[in-house]
Each structure stands twice: as C-alpha cells, then as structure tokens.
Amino acid sequence: MKKIAILTSGGDSQGMNTAIRAVTKAAINKGMEVYGIRRGYKGMLEDQIFPLTLLDVSGIADKGGTILLSARLPEFKDPEVRAKAAANLKKYGIDGLVVIGGDGSFHGAHYLYEEHGIKTIGIPGTIDNDVAGTDYTVGYDTALNIILDAISKLKDTATSHERTYLVEVMGRNCGDLALYSAIAGGASGVMIPEAQSSIDKIAEVIKKRRAEGKLYDIIVVAEGVGNIMDIKNELAKKVDTNIRVTILGHIQRGGAPTAFDRILATRLGVRAVELIEEGKGGLMVGIQSEEVTTHKLSYAWENYSKASASDYAIANMLSL
Amino acid sequence: MKKIAILTSGGDSQGMNTAIRAVTKAAINKGMEVYGIRRGYKGMLEDQIFPLTLLDVSGIADKGGTILLSARLPEFKDPEVRAKAAANLKKYGIDGLVVIGGDGSFHGAHYLYEEHGIKTIGIPGTIDNDVAGTDYTVGYDTALNIILDAISKLKDTATSHERTYLVEVMGRNCGDLALYSAIAGGASGVMIPEAQSSIDKIAEVIKKRRAEGKLYDIIVVAEGVGNIMDIKNELAKKVDTNIRVTILGHIQRGGAPTAFDRILATRLGVRAVELIEEGKGGLMVGIQSEEVTTHKLSYAWENYSKASASDYAIANMLSL
Amino acid sequence: MKKIAILTSGGDSQGMNTAIRAVTKAAINKGMEVYGIRRGYKGMLEDQIFPLTLLDVSGIADKGGTILLSARLPEFKDPEVRAKAAANLKKYGIDGLVVIGGDGSFHGAHYLYEEHGIKTIGIPGTIDNDVAGTDYTVGYDTALNIILDAISKLKDTATSHERTYLVEVMGRNCGDLALYSAIAGGASGVMIPEAQSSIDKIAEVIKKRRAEGKLYDIIVVAEGVGNIMDIKNELAKKVDTNIRVTILGHIQRGGAPTAFDRILATRLGVRAVELIEEGKGGLMVGIQSEEVTTHKLSYAWENYSKASASDYAIANMLSL
Amino acid sequence: MKKIAILTSGGDSQGMNTAIRAVTKAAINKGMEVYGIRRGYKGMLEDQIFPLTLLDVSGIADKGGTILLSARLPEFKDPEVRAKAAANLKKYGIDGLVVIGGDGSFHGAHYLYEEHGIKTIGIPGTIDNDVAGTDYTVGYDTALNIILDAISKLKDTATSHERTYLVEVMGRNCGDLALYSAIAGGASGVMIPEAQSSIDKIAEVIKKRRAEGKLYDIIVVAEGVGNIMDIKNELAKKVDTNIRVTILGHIQRGGAPTAFDRILATRLGVRAVELIEEGKGGLMVGIQSEEVTTHKLSYAWENYSKASASDYAIANMLSL
C-alpha cells in the first residue's frame, strides 16, 4: 500500500485546508495511507509526522489557514538538512509527498525528488498569484474578494469626505492582486511592480475626475512598488485633494476560501494524488486554460510571467 | 460618430451592472455615443431609450441587479414586433446593440442582426452557466458563492440537530451551480439534471457517514431534477435521519458581484465594444480557456454542453 | 470543589457556542469543574456527560451551532424521566446546571430545581426573541442580520424585474424578526402574529409606491401569520404587480454570531456561573435595559410580551 | 408648514444614511418640508442647501457613508461664522435642524440654538461610541462587527504561523471598540485608554497560553493608547513569539450598517422629528436602557463616561 504525506509551507493562503482535505480523501479513496506533517519542512526535519484520517479533514474545506501549520526553514537549502528530513519520511515508508505552497516551497520539493527520489508534487498555494505553470494559485481569488470588500467600505467614507485613498495590497513581485482589484473595484488608478506607473498620470486622472464632479478616488498600490508614504507625499504635491493611506495587511490572508479557490484546490489535490499513484514525482500541478496541467517543479520559478498588458490597459481606460 | 445601445434581458444576474459600466465607459472612451434601453426588448419596442452618460454608470460596478431593468417579451418572436423595435433604434441613428442576457435573449439579438443589420453583440449574463460559447456566464460565480454561504450556515444547524438537509439550488437544465457548490461545500450528495442520480446511492452515503460518526449531511439538488418534496419523501423511506428541505430561491440572484464576475463582465464588455467598432455584429462574446472568444450568436443554443463528468466523479468521490 | 454541567436544548441559535465558552472559562477560572452534556435533556437521561476543558472551548466563540448538539425530548415532561436524568448528574457530583435554550427548555430546568434541587440557571438562546425576562435572546441579532442580507439581495432582483416579494421569516408567536427586519430593511409592509395585518393596507401601500415611481416592494411576513401562499393569492387579487414568495428557512439559524450576540452570550454566561457560585438556582438570566438581570425560570413563559406598538407604527410610517 | 434641514458632520459612520432617511420620511409624513445640507456646517455657511424628497432617500437605508457628505469647519467656533450660516437657514424659512455627528458637531448645534433659536436636535453618529447621553452611537455596532470579521481572518493566519497579532482599532479616548471586540473576538489581551494596561500582564497571558498549547494570540489595542510600534517593541522584549502589527484603519468606517445601527438610526431619526414638531430644540436624542431619551446637547460632552470596569474584568478573565 502506498503511503503519502502532505505539508503546507511558506505564507499560508485560503484554500490550503481544502487542498489538504482533497488530497487526503482522494488518497484514502484509492487505498493509500496518508500522513500529515506539521510546520512544513521544519516539521519534516523534526519528525512532526502523524497519520491523517478522514475525520481529521472533515469540515475543513471552508476554513482559512492550514490545519498543518506552516513555517519557513531557510536551512532547507542545505543538502544535509534535506537528507535528514528525507530520512524521516523513509522511516515511515512514505514515498509520495504533496507540498502546498509557493515557488520557494517548490524548490525544496524539487530537490527532495532529485536527490532522494521522493515523489513530490507541488500544489501552488499563495495569495500572490506569482507561480508560473498555473493561471491561478490557491488563495488568490479569496484575497481578491477581500480586497474588493475593503475597497467598497473605503469608497463609502472616501465619498463622504471627498478623499483620495491609496490602498496598499499584497504583491511584492506580482501586481495581479492590485491590477484586478483595481479593475473590479472601479479604482481610479493602479500601481504595480511590472509596469512603469506614473504618479503624474494618476494625478491627471484625479483632476479630471474631480472636474467631472466625482467625489472620491481609490488608487490601488501593490506593496512591491515602493514605500506608500513616499508615494502619498509625491502625489500630494500634484493634487489638492485630501489623501489617506490604508495598508490592508494580513486580513488578505485569512477567511473562508471562495468557491473558486475551493474548486481549484480540490481539482489540484485530486490530480496530485493521481500523479503519485501513476508513480510520478518532481512535478507541479496547475490550472491553465481551464485544464489541470502538470509541469516540472522548476517550471514554477524559471518562467517569469508579466502582468497582462491588455488588462493593464483596461484598468487605465476605465479609471476615469 | 458611432451610436450604440445597451439592454439587459431575461432573468437578471450579478455583474450585469458591471458589464453596462464597462460597455459605456469603453464606448465613450472610443468616442461613441451610448444609449440605454430600459426593460430589455420591451423597452426597445416601446421606445424607452435614453442617453447613458459616464455619471450614470459611476459606482455601479459592485451593485447587484441591473440599472436598465429587465423584462421578458415573448412577442419578440414575431418578426413584425422586431421590425418595429428595430425602427426605434434607427430613429436614433443607433447601429450597434449590446444585449446582456441568456441564450433566449440572444435569439432576439440574432434576428435583429439577420433581419435588420443591427450590429448586435451578446454578453452572456445569467447565474445558471447554461450558455454555450463561454466557460462561465456573468453572475454564475456570485451565485455559487451565495450558495456556499447558505450551505455553511445550514451545516451549523444540521450538525446541532444531526439532520440531513436537501438544498434546492437554481438550474433547470444545467447542474453547474449544484455540482460545484456540492464540491466546494463538502456536500454528501448532489443531484443534477444531466446525470442519473440515484437516491439509493445517496442513502448509502448517508448511512456510511453516520456509521463513521459524522453528524450531518448536505445534499444539493438542482431545481431541474424534479420536485424536492418528492425526493425528500423517497429518501425518507431509505434512511432514518431527520430530513429537512431548504429552497434557496431568489437570494441566489442578488448581491454584489464577486471579483471573478466583475472582471469577466468588464473584459466581455470592453470586447463587445471593440467588435462593434470593427463593424461586426450577430456575435456573442465569451471566456473560453481564459481567452475572450467570439462566436455567432446561434452558437449559444446550438451547442449543448453537458456537466463535466470528471467533476461529477470528484463530487461523488469526496462525498464520504 | 463545585461541579457544574452545561447543555443546549431546543432549536439551536448562533451564540450558543459563545455562551458555552463563557460558562466554561468563567467556571474554570473560579476553580469549578465543568461537564458538557450532549444532546440536551436526552443526553442527560442517557448519560452523555463528559468533562469540558479550556481546550474544548478554544476558538468556538465565533462558530454557529452548538458543539454540545441539541435535541428535543418531549418525555422530559414525565417526572420519572427527570428523576432518572437528575440521578445521572448526581452520580458525577454535579450540583449546578446551565441550560441554554428557549422557554420550553426552561421548563425542564425549572422542574430539575424544584424537584431535585439542582441549581439550574437558564440562558435564553433562540433566534425568535420570544422569551420574557430578557430584551434580547442569544441568536436574535444574528438572525436579524441574516434576514437583512437576504432582503438586500432580493431587492436587487426585485428592482430589476419590478416585482413584489413576500419574504417569510421565522417567528411563530413573536413577530420581532419580521418587524425589525422590515424597519431596518426598508420594507413596504410587514405582517406579524401580534397585530391585525390587513392585506388591503399592504395593497394600498404597493399602489402608492408604484404611483410614485418606485419599482419594487418587499413585504416581510412572520411564519406564524399563516400560509404564505394563501397570503400571496389574496394579495394578487388586489394589486397587479408580479408577486414572488421566498421562504428564508433554516439559513436564519446558522453562521457566525454577531458582535451583539457574542457579547450578550458572554455576559449571560459569566453571570450564570456567578449565580451558581452564590448557591442560587431555578433562575434565568437576561439583559434588560442594558443590565444583566435575573428572574425565576417560570418568568420566561408567564410574562407574555407583545411586539412594540410604537415600533410597529414606525414600520408602517416608513413603508411608503 | 414647518421646514427642517438635515446635515451630517465630522467623521462619517454607518447608519448616517439610515438616519437621514428616517428623518426625511417621518418629517414628510408629518407634513413638513425637508432640506438637505451638503458638507455639514461648511455647506450651511456656503448655502449648499436643497430640497430633499422621498425619492432622494429611497433605498439608502443600507448604504454606508452619507449622501449629504461631511466636512469639518473649525471656523464654526466663531460666532460670526455661525450667524452667517444661521442666516442662510432663515432665508429658506427653516426653523428646525437635525445634526447627525459626534459631540464636536453637537457644539455647533448647541450654539445655533442658544444664539439663533434654531431648533437643533443632535443624533449621535460616530463609530467611536464616545458620546454621553446614549448607550450606543449610530455606527458603533457596524464598526464592531467589521473588526470581528478582521480578527477572524487574522486568527486564521496567526494560527498557521503561530504568531501574536497586535490589532489597532479606532478609539482615541473611548476604548469601547477595542474592549468589546476583544470580548467578542476571543482576544488574549486588550489595551484601552481608560485603563492602565500592563504589557507585563499581556506577556504573561501569552506565555500561559503557549504553555497550554495554544498557537496564536490576538491583542486588541485602541489607537488612543499610544504608538503601536512602540508597544510591539516593548512586548517583543518580554515574549519570544513572532509578533505582527495590523492597523485596521478606515475600513472600520464603511460598509452597510448592521440591523442594530439601522434600527437605532431609525428610532432616533423619528424621535428627532417629533421633538421639532413639539417645538423643542437644543437637545440630543439617544438610546439609554433601551428607551429613546433626550438631553440638552451639552450633556454629550459634559458627562464623561468611562469604559465598563466589569466588562474590562470579563475581557481579562476570558483572555486565557
């Protein structure tokens, strides 16, 4: 009987629990034995490994966070550390491992497969949508909806006081959360790491809007663009509206996953188990053009994907 | 200068307003003049046509319903009625028309193009996800999330009282809302029009779950499957759990559209305007494999699409 | 050391878990030993009694339903049944019992105190707000907010299609959920069991609204008023708007409790423990004029409280 | 026929629109003529006064912000400025004025009554709950629920990463939002301006919780307590958990008002109109012990009210 393990690693995201549930149910359904590893690679190294049952994953599909906990372990770059962690898995006779996390976490999974033959499968779980090989990462849609809810609340008070709000959202390298919350939230401007955003341009839009009688402006700024207080100060030199800054922060990472994230996590989880059943490893699963696809784990970080230029154009066109 | 009009028709769905906004903004941005038509084809016939400005569509991206109102007009099957309606458009010099609605509404748009040369573009807007030529209709994702919220609440009381709930969701011919809310909601069973659903099978799952110590069951039933009270009575003969029926009804049609629906509506709205600008008509826009695509309007009803068999299998596998 | 037990009984409501947590934490804080009883009086009779720890109640303050499960036991009217159940408590040396439920559940608690000297304290937990001796029951505020969310969604689609919606909400004898959701939801009419509601009057309001250009009507009907389909049919004879019926059903009983319900449940739970500590029993706790008060348990059903006439007048005045 | 005006002033809060609607409907119902004033006292001074109709207030009961906009006008402390503003009202024949805002706004209303005989009635509208003469201000309950939603999301990610979160909520002088969100949110600590909060005590609770196996801590801090980064740094010296800071900011001011705030705003709005009808002025309305009460406007700032000591004790008792 095949034995597989699951861990979550790096920053948590909504839908990780849904993926854990899908992997566990699918594997047990196929007659496998399932283990959970607490605290990611750290727990693998420290032997925090325990049997995972159907009851453990019952009712967790709609819970934010990860019941397996997460952690970062920079030492996992050291081959000796990986060897020790791999030995722990082998002690239990585990030969398949599902890793839910971002591309950083996929590195570890890549080496565990290359060096120790552990059949690792990566499921992209991060709110940032910054993993190549998938159109969407698990958690991204939920974070986007949380941002929209916040923007909607900010619009109320922005309008009452005729203010301009700069809203900082997550995304160090990838501007997707900012770009699409700007489009969906009816923002008057967006600043993302991938495009040269001009404060002059944003100032011009604000002036035009006010001339048309509009009472508020929402400008969405990805955290990777730079210090938001500096941006505020620069903008304040160019417009005379009252500007406020809001940093949404970690509320973007929690809450019940949306339908989209739960369905995505479930599909990817089921596929991950099938791949291990087929004897495969060193792969990631993703959703591309509505199909579940597989790539080598290294694909995740070797294929840099820029934000959609056409959607950036749409965001700008609709900003007035 | 090009003049275009917009109408919403058939059952309303969340994101219709977002589409109206995108069409209006994109068209004005391209130098077109935009008209709104109230109450769908009925208003077109009765000359309820008025100029639509940027201010009219300001702040509506996140509002449920349709500011243009909707209506059904069975008489529109009559060519004479269509001729009279088309004449109203021509009176204003309008030569492009964006129709937001389901495949029934697309029929009218098809004939307006064929018979009167009006450059009609259809945007699929319905919660049912039952239009061919698009993977998703505008409103579907929002309705799905509303259902999940309801299921989550029902689970609380189902567990407290150890009950089995039959939850009727919308979908006369298309079981997508039922199937995917079952997957995402962790339901113990799902009945959809496209697949032979066996009450025996559902009864068996309920018994297994209870034997494992689970305290509740949620069974999602698409309205197209049949009378839910009959289903309840039949199921009651096979299991001895306390069964309750909840019909979610029209709350599925309202509320702020999700990020997904707003982005979809925006992309499709912008594309619809581009097509009219290019001199095209008689077409629908859709999202397929993550790309905005176009088909002849008749594609919508000529290509019957069954629910995904693999996802139906997933729903069943995870039901225990 | 004092030993106390907790049970939830009758229909569940949001905030029951918050109350369980408050009672458990407060009691342990005072050096008491705490037991949970599963399935209300049924579990008391069948000895489903187990120690409740701080860990058991950790993180449940915001969870709908009741971790102790609930049940109805009509046989509890039989003194012999109560004697057997009381004996089970005494077997564990338990002399205090917190009962969370409605006035039906308080009857049992009353007799356990009168006949067996068990120091029972009742916490009013029901969404219906139909317990005397408290201005608000635990769960009522949450249910009210769920109804408002539903009304808000229905308004969207009601407006799009220019319909009149009859919305049935819970409340067999007590019209509070209907009355206050009508006031807060901007309804055009409300029908409650406590007041003679005239369909003629509602029809008149609908006609006036439509004459003023309003496009929709929401009429809230408490379930205790009568069969909603009959009401619809009668109303349909008097107005010519399109009328739809929505029965909100059990979604009103689930979901995370609101701030109000959690604070109320916490205050009442802490007070219940203090009363037992003071050696008291046969009492209920409630919130009256913002103060936590105590009454004999029988107060709950002996003091019938009508819906506020002045608020009913407000609802009618604002309906236009 | 009586003529009255309405304005909103100071920081906006949820439910202001509900109050505007109630005042307008009640006044029109009593045969009065109603005017809206844009941008508070600034608009009164600049004659931004316009007739308010039933249609203007239709459908706004559940909208955040204020359709009348708000502003601050420090110059209103100058009697000459007030005289000019009062003259504007008299120009229209307006002799009653409803002011929705905090105690700062009530000062202006007080002087308009004392100096110019304008029948001013104050409705307490602010999320901070810092106005004497009412148990609750309009907006407070909504803000509290927004904070709880945020805390619930933060708990997910706090648990996944075993972190301690410091959550800054609004409240410069009044700790109610912090205190009651701590109680309802199951926080492990709370710091409010009214009580000497010891970081040592909080550190001790964190250590105890971790010793018991709990994985996260939420500490709620009112903004009036001091710089939250300083608090973080001090706490970091005493515990070795990973500490993060989240400043909730202006999302606390927006969104649809809760049932509680809508009902409160409606009752107070109706009462305000009755008072003007009775020829009274210079008064505020409030809710105290569940009754609508009236006080002189100066009561609002002359009666300092401390946070409830007993509820502070409850928050601390339940923190473990």
Side-chain angles (χ1 to χ4, degrees):
Chain A
M1 188 171 66
K2 274 214 159 67
K3 293 183 183 182
I4 70 164
I6 317 173
L7 63 82
T8 49
S9 167
D12 65 336
S13 73
Q14 307 94 336
M16 282 188 161
N17 279 329
T18 325
I20 292 167
R21 171 182 176 269
V23 170
T24 305
K25 285 198 158 194
I28 290 176
N29 192 279
K30 288 174 187 297
M32 300 179 184
E33 209 171 308
V34 184
Y35 291 80
I37 301 176
R38 281 204 188 87
R39 300 180 177 83
Y41 294 122
K42 187 162 178 286
M44 191 174 160
L45 183 67
E46 298 174 358
D47 195 1
Q48 302 182 21
I49 304 171
F50 63 100
L52 210 50
T53 68
L54 285 178
L55 211 66
D56 290 326
V57 300
S58 177
I60 67 167
D62 60 354
K63 300 290 176 281
T66 159
I67 61 164
L68 293 178
L69 310 182
S70 190
R72 296 182 201 269
L73 183 69
E75 301 86 331
F76 212 64
K77 284 183 188 152
D78 178 350
E80 282 182 45
V81 168
R82 290 196 295 264
K84 203 179 148 202
N88 277 336
L89 279 198
K90 291 186 177 167
K91 199 171 64 183
Y92 291 89
I94 295 166
D95 57 357
L97 175 68
V98 178
V99 171
I100 309 170
D103 62 0
S105 309
F106 284 10
H107 271 89
H110 170 77
Y111 287 112
L112 287 172
Y113 178 70
E114 296 292 332
E115 297 167 355
H116 304 284
I118 294 168
K119 289 178 189 76
T120 50
I121 304 291
I123 296 178
T126 157
I127 65 168
D128 288 346
N129 211 31
D130 59 352
V131 178
T134 191
D135 294 336
Y136 299 105
T137 54
V138 174
Y140 166 70
D141 184 65
T142 305
L144 199 54
N145 278 288
I146 291 172
I147 294 168
L148 287 183
D149 180 63
I151 287 177
S152 159
K153 289 186 168 71
L154 291 174
K155 267 188 189 178
D156 287 338
T157 192
T159 306
S160 299
H161 295 284
E162 300 169 77
R163 289 180 184 142
T164 300
Y165 273 80
L166 297 183
V167 187
E168 184 186 294
V169 303
M170 290 203 169
R172 277 189 217 283
N173 309 303
C174 177
D176 279 10
L177 283 175
L179 176 55
Y180 292 98
S181 64
I183 291 177
S188 305
V190 59
M191 300 180 76
I192 57 175
E194 298 94 331
Q196 288 295 7
S197 305
S198 146
I199 289 181
D200 281 327
K201 172 104 199 296
I202 286 171
E204 192 192 314
V205 171
I206 291 173
K207 283 178 203 158
K208 263 199 194 163
R209 283 174 57 87
R210 299 303 176 124
E212 284 166 7
K214 297 210 174 142
L215 300 172
Y216 75 94
D217 322 278
I218 300 283
I219 315 293
V220 186
V221 182
E223 64 178 330
V225 168
N227 186 297
I228 196 155
M229 295 312 294
D230 294 346
I231 295 170
K232 180 195 168 179
N233 293 335
E234 221 183 310
L235 184 61
K237 291 179 202 154
K238 298 171 199 287
V239 297
D240 59 1
T241 57
N242 186 320
I243 309 173
R244 295 291 177 107
V245 163
T246 289
I247 298 171
L248 290 188
H250 283 209
I251 60 166
Q252 294 169 78
R253 308 191 87 88
T258 57
F260 187 94
D261 275 329
R262 293 193 224 172
I263 293 164
L264 177 59
T266 302
R267 280 179 174 160
L268 298 186
V270 170
R271 185 74 187 114
V273 172
E274 289 172 354
L275 288 168
I276 292 178
E277 193 184 32
E278 295 164 13
K280 289 174 185 156
L283 300 175
M284 66 167 284
V285 289
I287 188 98
Q288 289 180 297
S289 300
E290 288 293 311
E291 295 295 323
V292 176
T293 57
T294 58
H295 293 277
K296 290 191 66 173
L297 279 160
S298 54
Y299 189 94
W301 60 86
E302 286 173 355
N303 294 272
Y304 180 74
S305 159
K306 292 215 308 177
S308 159
S310 65
D311 286 333
Y312 187 65
I314 286 180
N316 284 317
M317 183 178 68
L318 299 183
S319 65
L320 282 174
Chain B
M1 187 173 65
K2 274 215 160 63
K3 293 182 182 183
I4 70 164
I6 317 172
L7 63 81
T8 50
S9 167
D12 65 337
S13 73
Q14 307 94 338
M16 282 187 160
N17 279 330
T18 325
I20 291 168
R21 170 181 175 270
V23 170
T24 305
K25 285 198 156 192
I28 288 175
N29 191 278
K30 288 174 187 298
M32 300 180 184
E33 207 170 308
V34 184
Y35 291 81
I37 302 175
R38 281 206 188 85
R39 299 181 177 83
Y41 294 122
K42 189 163 177 285
M44 192 175 160
L45 183 68
E46 297 174 359
D47 195 1
Q48 301 182 22
I49 303 171
F50 63 101
L52 210 49
T53 67
L54 284 178
L55 211 67
D56 291 326
V57 302
S58 176
I60 67 168
D62 61 353
K63 300 288 175 284
T66 159
I67 61 164
L68 294 178
L69 310 183
S70 190
R72 296 181 200 272
L73 184 69
E75 300 86 330
F76 211 64
K77 285 183 187 152
D78 177 351
E80 284 183 44
V81 170
R82 289 196 295 263
K84 204 179 147 201
N88 277 336
L89 280 197
K90 291 185 177 168
K91 198 171 63 184
Y92 292 89
I94 295 167
D95 56 358
L97 174 68
V98 178
V99 172
I100 309 169
D103 63 359
S105 309
F106 284 10
H107 271 88
H110 169 78
Y111 286 113
L112 287 172
Y113 178 71
E114 296 292 332
E115 297 166 357
H116 304 284
I118 294 167
K119 288 177 191 74
T120 50
I121 305 291
I123 295 178
T126 157
I127 65 168
D128 287 347
N129 211 30
D130 59 351
V131 178
T134 191
D135 295 336
Y136 299 105
T137 54
V138 174
Y140 166 70
D141 183 66
T142 306
L144 199 54
N145 278 288
I146 292 172
I147 295 169
L148 287 183
D149 180 63
I151 287 177
S152 159
K153 289 185 169 70
L154 291 174
K155 267 188 188 177
D156 287 339
T157 192
T159 306
S160 299
H161 295 283
E162 300 169 78
R163 287 178 185 144
T164 300
Y165 273 81
L166 298 182
V167 186
E168 184 185 295
V169 303
M170 290 202 168
R172 277 188 217 284
N173 309 304
C174 176
D176 279 8
L177 281 175
L179 176 55
Y180 292 99
S181 64
I183 290 177
S188 307
V190 58
M191 301 180 75
I192 56 176
E194 297 96 330
Q196 289 295 8
S197 306
S198 149
I199 289 182
D200 281 327
K201 172 101 200 298
I202 287 170
E204 193 192 313
V205 171
I206 291 173
K207 283 177 200 158
K208 265 200 194 160
R209 283 175 56 88
R210 298 303 176 125
E212 283 167 6
K214 298 210 174 142
L215 300 172
Y216 74 95
D217 322 279
I218 301 285
I219 314 294
V220 185
V221 183
E223 65 178 330
V225 169
N227 185 295
I228 196 156
M229 295 312 293
D230 294 346
I231 294 169
K232 180 197 168 178
N233 293 335
E234 222 183 308
L235 183 61
K237 290 180 202 154
K238 298 173 200 284
V239 296
D240 58 2
T241 56
N242 188 320
I243 308 173
R244 295 292 177 106
V245 163
T246 289
I247 298 171
L248 290 189
H250 284 209
I251 60 166
Q252 294 168 80
R253 308 192 87 89
T258 56
F260 186 95
D261 275 330
R262 291 193 225 172
I263 294 164
L264 177 59
T266 302
R267 280 180 175 161
L268 298 186
V270 170
R271 185 73 188 116
V273 173
E274 289 172 353
L275 289 168
I276 292 178
E277 193 184 32
E278 295 164 13
K280 289 176 185 155
L283 299 175
M284 66 167 283
V285 289
I287 187 100
Q288 290 180 297
S289 301
E290 289 293 311
E291 296 295 324
V292 176
T293 57
T294 58
H295 293 278
K296 292 192 63 171
L297 279 159
S298 55
Y299 190 94
W301 60 86
E302 286 172 356
N303 294 273
Y304 180 75
S305 158
K306 291 215 306 179
S308 158
S310 65
D311 285 334
Y312 187 64
I314 285 180
N316 284 316
M317 184 179 68
L318 298 184
S319 65
L320 280 175
Chain C
M1 189 171 66
K2 274 214 162 65
K3 293 184 181 181
I4 70 163
I6 316 172
L7 63 82
T8 50
S9 166
D12 65 336
S13 73
Q14 308 94 335
M16 282 187 161
N17 279 330
T18 325
I20 292 167
R21 172 182 175 269
V23 169
T24 305
K25 284 199 159 192
I28 289 176
N29 192 277
K30 288 175 186 296
M32 300 179 184
E33 208 171 306
V34 184
Y35 290 81
I37 301 176
R38 281 206 188 85
R39 297 179 178 85
Y41 294 123
K42 188 163 176 286
M44 192 174 160
L45 183 68
E46 297 174 358
D47 195 1
Q48 301 181 22
I49 304 171
F50 63 101
L52 211 49
T53 68
L54 285 178
L55 211 66
D56 290 326
V57 301
S58 177
I60 67 168
D62 60 354
K63 301 289 175 282
T66 159
I67 60 165
L68 293 178
L69 309 181
S70 190
R72 296 183 202 269
L73 183 71
E75 300 86 331
F76 211 66
K77 285 182 187 153
D78 178 350
E80 284 182 43
V81 168
R82 289 196 296 263
K84 204 181 146 201
N88 277 334
L89 279 198
K90 291 185 176 168
K91 198 171 66 185
Y92 291 90
I94 295 167
D95 56 358
L97 174 69
V98 178
V99 171
I100 309 169
D103 62 359
S105 308
F106 284 10
H107 271 89
H110 169 78
Y111 288 112
L112 286 172
Y113 178 71
E114 297 290 332
E115 298 166 356
H116 304 284
I118 294 168
K119 289 176 190 75
T120 50
I121 306 291
I123 295 177
T126 158
I127 65 168
D128 288 347
N129 211 32
D130 59 351
V131 178
T134 191
D135 294 336
Y136 299 106
T137 54
V138 174
Y140 166 70
D141 184 66
T142 305
L144 199 55
N145 278 287
I146 292 172
I147 294 168
L148 286 183
D149 180 64
I151 286 177
S152 159
K153 290 186 167 70
L154 290 174
K155 268 189 186 176
D156 287 338
T157 192
T159 305
S160 300
H161 296 284
E162 300 169 78
R163 286 178 186 144
T164 300
Y165 273 81
L166 298 182
V167 187
E168 184 186 294
V169 303
M170 289 202 169
R172 275 188 219 284
N173 308 306
C174 176
D176 279 8
L177 282 175
L179 175 56
Y180 291 99
S181 64
I183 290 177
S188 306
V190 58
M191 299 179 76
I192 56 175
E194 297 95 332
Q196 288 295 8
S197 306
S198 149
I199 289 181
D200 281 327
K201 170 103 199 295
I202 286 171
E204 192 192 314
V205 171
I206 292 173
K207 282 178 202 159
K208 264 198 192 162
R209 283 175 56 88
R210 299 302 176 125
E212 284 166 7
K214 297 209 174 142
L215 300 172
Y216 75 93
D217 323 279
I218 301 284
I219 314 294
V220 185
V221 183
E223 65 179 329
V225 168
N227 185 295
I228 196 155
M229 295 312 295
D230 294 346
I231 294 170
K232 180 196 168 179
N233 294 336
E234 222 184 310
L235 183 61
K237 289 179 202 154
K238 299 172 199 285
V239 297
D240 60 2
T241 57
N242 187 320
I243 308 173
R244 295 292 176 107
V245 163
T246 289
I247 299 170
L248 290 189
H250 283 209
I251 60 167
Q252 295 168 78
R253 308 191 86 87
T258 56
F260 186 95
D261 275 330
R262 292 194 223 171
I263 293 164
L264 177 59
T266 302
R267 279 180 175 158
L268 298 187
V270 170
R271 186 74 188 113
V273 172
E274 290 171 353
L275 289 168
I276 292 178
E277 193 184 31
E278 296 165 12
K280 289 173 185 160
L283 300 176
M284 66 168 284
V285 289
I287 187 99
Q288 288 180 298
S289 300
E290 288 293 311
E291 296 295 323
V292 177
T293 55
T294 58
H295 292 277
K296 290 191 67 172
L297 280 159
S298 54
Y299 189 94
W301 60 85
E302 286 173 355
N303 295 273
Y304 180 75
S305 158
K306 292 215 307 179
S308 157
S310 65
D311 286 332
Y312 186 65
I314 286 180
N316 284 318
M317 183 178 68
L318 299 184
S319 66
L320 280 176
Chain D
M1 189 171 65
K2 275 214 159 64
K3 293 183 183 183
I4 69 164
I6 317 173
L7 63 81
T8 49
S9 167
D12 66 336
S13 73
Q14 307 95 335
M16 282 187 160
N17 279 329
T18 325
I20 292 167
R21 172 183 176 269
V23 169
T24 305
K25 285 198 157 193
I28 290 176
N29 191 277
K30 289 176 186 296
M32 299 180 184
E33 208 171 308
V34 184
Y35 290 80
I37 302 175
R38 281 204 187 87
R39 298 179 178 86
Y41 294 122
K42 187 163 177 286
M44 192 173 161
L45 182 68
E46 298 173 359
D47 195 0
Q48 302 181 22
I49 303 172
F50 63 100
L52 210 49
T53 68
L54 284 178
L55 211 66
D56 291 325
V57 301
S58 178
I60 67 166
D62 59 354
K63 302 290 176 280
T66 159
I67 61 165
L68 293 178
L69 310 181
S70 190
R72 296 183 201 269
L73 182 70
E75 301 86 331
F76 212 64
K77 285 183 188 151
D78 177 351
E80 283 183 43
V81 169
R82 290 196 296 265
K84 202 180 148 202
N88 276 335
L89 279 199
K90 291 186 176 167
K91 196 171 64 183
Y92 292 89
I94 295 167
D95 56 358
L97 174 68
V98 178
V99 171
I100 310 170
D103 62 0
S105 309
F106 284 10
H107 271 89
H110 169 78
Y111 287 112
L112 286 171
Y113 178 71
E114 297 292 333
E115 299 166 356
H116 305 283
I118 294 168
K119 287 175 192 76
T120 50
I121 305 290
I123 295 178
T126 158
I127 65 168
D128 288 347
N129 210 32
D130 58 352
V131 179
T134 191
D135 294 335
Y136 299 105
T137 54
V138 173
Y140 166 70
D141 185 65
T142 306
L144 199 55
N145 278 288
I146 291 172
I147 294 169
L148 287 183
D149 181 62
I151 287 178
S152 159
K153 290 186 168 71
L154 291 174
K155 268 188 188 180
D156 287 339
T157 192
T159 306
S160 300
H161 295 283
E162 301 169 76
R163 287 180 186 142
T164 299
Y165 273 81
L166 297 183
V167 187
E168 184 185 294
V169 304
M170 291 201 167
R172 276 188 219 283
N173 308 305
C174 177
D176 279 9
L177 283 176
L179 175 56
Y180 292 99
S181 64
I183 291 178
S188 306
V190 59
M191 298 178 79
I192 56 175
E194 297 95 332
Q196 288 295 6
S197 305
S198 148
I199 289 182
D200 281 327
K201 171 103 198 295
I202 287 171
E204 191 192 315
V205 171
I206 292 173
K207 283 178 202 160
K208 264 199 194 162
R209 283 174 57 87
R210 299 302 175 124
E212 284 166 6
K214 297 211 173 141
L215 300 172
Y216 74 94
D217 323 279
I218 301 283
I219 314 294
V220 186
V221 182
E223 64 178 332
V225 168
N227 186 295
I228 196 156
M229 295 313 294
D230 294 346
I231 295 170
K232 180 196 168 181
N233 294 336
E234 221 184 311
L235 183 61
K237 290 180 203 155
K238 299 172 199 284
V239 296
D240 59 2
T241 57
N242 187 319
I243 309 173
R244 296 291 178 108
V245 163
T246 289
I247 298 171
L248 290 188
H250 283 209
I251 60 168
Q252 294 169 78
R253 309 192 86 89
T258 56
F260 186 94
D261 275 330
R262 293 194 224 171
I263 294 165
L264 176 60
T266 302
R267 279 180 176 159
L268 298 187
V270 169
R271 185 73 187 114
V273 173
E274 289 171 353
L275 288 168
I276 292 177
E277 193 184 32
E278 295 164 13
K280 290 174 185 157
L283 300 175
M284 66 167 284
V285 289
I287 187 99
Q288 290 180 295
S289 301
E290 289 291 312
E291 295 295 323
V292 177
T293 57
T294 57
H295 294 277
K296 291 192 64 172
L297 280 159
S298 54
Y299 190 95
W301 61 86
E302 286 172 355
N303 295 272
Y304 180 73
S305 158
K306 292 214 308 179
S308 158
S310 65
D311 285 333
Y312 187 64
I314 286 180
N316 284 317
M317 183 178 67
L318 299 183
S319 65
L320 281 174

